[in-house]
Amino acid sequence: MSEEARRFEDVDFGDEIPESFADVRLATVHVFTEASGMTFSRFNDHQAARKQGMPGAVVPGIMSQGIFAAKIHEWAPGCEVEKLDTVFRAPLIADTEVRVRGVVTDMDDGARTVEMDLTMLNEAGETPVIGTALVRLA
Amino acid sequence: MQIDIEAVKKEHVGFAFDETTFDIKAETLANYARGCGETEARFLDPGHPDFRAVPNYASNFHGRRNLPENFPADILRSFDAGKCVENLAPIRPGDTITGRSHIHDIYEKTGRSGPMMFVVHRMEFTNQDDAKVAVVDWRLVMRLGEM
């Protein structure tokens, strides 16, 4: 990771966060659920989740929201994520391949902020989690 | 069960129904950040001079009640459609955060599975200095035909 801050002047409308994978291994979900108190079996146990009608253990919605924030920080170290809106359209399943994308959709010169569209894609190419962010840059 | 959305709005929107406090611990903040895949030391290292919660940490707070008393719907029959967090000041270890809940909006949409009621549950958070640190909108969806 580059520690150099991404400045507002370095960014242009349409710039993209390079596509990358989200770490949704069950072991990582455990770390999150222990810290967040979301220790329900549907998040932590594939078999228990299947018994509840899910395809496997579900990644908590707010963990996917946190992954979006982490990807923004990787792209623009030192930035401030002022607002992050996330829509949970379908369950995201642990131990699957999840790709994260982001694109700058608007810029405010005065506030030095950018708006971004964010997307998570599952192995079927569907978008179970989408979001928008307002990010203040250096 | 038939629900008059306008009547439910009039009765419940804008009225505070819960207040809960949360004590913020460094280890929990760091582990939460690790679970999200954070890479920046200001979120992972409690020794960092700017150590603080990740931007969506307030999304994790829940009040003692999720809906007002007498609300004509069951939280267990709803699903989580999304969360929006607005950050106004950092949340740091040692903070005592107070969250106050109210219903911000109620509206109806009709999808393929029929009419649905959307409830926007808003929590506003202040720290021990009464500074506003975050606002979280939680969108809950309930199928009207199942209520």
Side-chain angles (χ1 to χ4, degrees), chain A residues 1 28 31-32 35-36 62-63 65-67 70 73-74 78-88, chain B residues 28 31-32 35-40 42-43 52 55-56 59-60 80-87 139:
Chain A
M1 182 194 93
T28 308
V31 172
F32 180 83
S36 62
I62 59 167
M63 180 173 162
Q65 187 181 48
I67 291 169
H73 291 142
E74 267 185 46
C79 73
E80 298 289 344
V81 178
E82 294 190 339
K83 196 170 182 180
L84 183 55
D85 192 358
T86 314
V87 179
F88 311 134
Chain B
T28 307
N31 285 333
Y32 187 101
C36 293
E38 274 294 347
T39 52
E40 288 206 76
R42 61 181 164 144
F43 304 114
R52 54 163 82 185
N56 83 318
S59 292
N60 184 44
D80 186 350
K83 282 196 166 171
C84 178
V85 57
E86 184 177 9
N87 293 297
R139 293 181 295 273

Side-chain angles (χ1 to χ4, degrees), chain A residues 38-51:
Chain A
M38 300 176 81
T39 51
F40 314 108
S41 59
R42 68 178 181 277
F43 298 130
N44 290 287
D45 183 326
H46 284 304
Q47 274 196 326
R50 286 184 193 115
K51 281 184 189 163

